[in-house]
Amino acid sequence: MNITFENKRVLVTGAGKGIGYDIAKAFVKCGAEKVFALSKTKANLDKLAAESPLIVPVCVDLGDWNAARKAVESLGPIDVLINNAAVAECDSFFDVKPESIDRVFNINVKSVINVSQVVAAGMVQRKTGGAIVNISSQAAQAALADHVVYGATKAAVDSITRCMALELGEHNIRVNSVNPTVVWTEMGAKHWSDEKRSKPMLEKIPLHKFAAIEDVVHAVLFLASNKAAMVNAVTLPVDGGFLAC
Ligand code: NDP
């Protein structure tokens, strides 16, 4: 299957490292006209942009609603949006602090709506349609210890995916989510490098392995491409079967 994004302008949030970094590079490889890589830390974005002249860094804190909105508005037309940026703060239920709830919801939920509003409004106005892929998590649909806040934000992302798909479908804008299991990035390693946590999780995953970054990237490329033209409002697990078993 040949997936191409020729003539497409793509925005990937959280592209400074981890999964988003590789998603941005993959869109370039698949022929995208331009890839906007949005993230908070300039040094990370500079490293990514140095790898490809087609990648345009956008350095902004998604936690700042107005600044993020202005930055995304300034990019011009976007055909494909990948809402990948997120933060994880993992505390047990009784240890959760209100500031942590606000911080995590602000990035993982509020900023997804903010960026998507700007991008989707442009798609509607230009009558071009488009594709939006939200990076959710297995934690949206399964109870994981110390994931009460993070899991709630990802459950919200799944709901946002379905509601956006419902409201934007008439404009030929598809909205889907990818829900990975543990991926060995900075975020993944922070929580799961403790064997007391990772061992039982690996035992519960039927394939007995975590997801590679590439596994997530491939699912994103498919859902964002016209090969998935009839796929809409799904939350696609990339979890080795964890959620189903
Ligand atoms: P990383 O922590 O490795 O990377 C997150 C990226 O998001 C970084 O580039 C970071 O910016 C950016 N980001 C965070 N906060 C902001 C902000 N306020 N403004 C702008 N950019 C911001 O995470 P992963 O690559 O592991 O995660 C990517 C996605 O996958 C997330 O949605 C995550 O929830 C999801 N996921 C991850 C799993 C895992 O095990 N890793 C499992 C399931 C889902 P900066 O470069 O400045 O740090």
Side-chain angles (χ1 to χ4, degrees), residues 5 10 12 23-32 35 80 82 220-221 224:
F5 293 95
V10 180
V12 183
I23 291 174
K25 287 201 303 184
F27 274 107
V28 171
K29 258 197 193 152
C30 290
V35 177
V80 173
I82 313 300
V220 169
L221 291 178

Side-chain angles (χ1 to χ4, degrees), residues 80-102:
V80 173
L81 166 64
I82 313 300
N83 283 309
N84 165 78
V87 290
E89 296 185 20
C90 296
D91 296 301
S92 64
F93 176 68
F94 283 116
D95 289 334
V96 170
K97 301 281 182 297
E99 311 80 56
S100 174
I101 300 173
D102 290 342

Side-chain angles (χ1 to χ4, degrees), residues 17-193:
K17 61 188 180 203
I19 297 168
Y21 194 94
D22 281 19
I23 291 174
K25 287 201 303 184
F27 274 107
V28 171
K29 258 197 193 152
C30 290
E33 179 185 306
K34 193 168 268 193
V35 177
F36 296 98
L38 185 154
S39 204
K40 203 172 52 158
T41 305
K42 189 173 175 306
N44 293 343
L45 287 174
D46 287 346
K47 183 170 168 268
L48 174 63
E51 293 188 27
S52 167
L54 294 179
I55 292 182
V56 179
V58 183
C59 193
V60 69
D61 182 355
L62 287 170
D64 182 334
W65 177 279
N66 291 327
R69 208 168 174 91
K70 222 171 127 193
V72 176
E73 278 168 353
S74 75
L75 305 180
I78 300 292
D79 305 294
V80 173
L81 166 64
I82 313 300
N83 283 309
N84 165 78
V87 290
E89 296 185 20
C90 296
D91 296 301
S92 64
F93 176 68
F94 283 116
D95 289 334
V96 170
K97 301 281 182 297
E99 311 80 56
S100 174
I101 300 173
D102 290 342
R103 269 196 305 270
V104 181
F105 267 86
N106 196 29
I107 307 305
N108 297 12
V109 179
K110 241 173 121 176
S111 87
V112 171
I113 293 176
N114 190 20
V115 172
S116 300
Q117 278 183 341
V118 175
V119 170
M123 291 168 175
V124 171
Q125 200 188 12
R126 296 190 311 278
K127 299 189 182 1
T128 53
I132 298 176
V133 180
N134 298 323
I135 311 299
S136 181
S137 169
Q138 65 180 10
Q141 295 171 23
L144 305 178
D146 305 333
H147 277 64
V148 62
V149 176
Y150 178 80
T153 66
K154 292 303 187 177
V157 168
D158 284 3
S159 177
I160 288 166
T161 297
R162 288 186 288 266
C163 290
M164 282 176 59
L166 177 68
E167 291 198 29
L168 300 176
E170 65 179 295
H171 302 287
N172 196 26
I173 300 170
R174 295 181 300 105
V175 187
N176 294 291
S177 287
V178 169
N179 296 52
T181 182
V182 177
V183 187
W184 222 244
T185 61
E186 196 172 306
M187 179 191 287
K190 200 167 141 195
H191 186 74
W192 296 99
S193 47

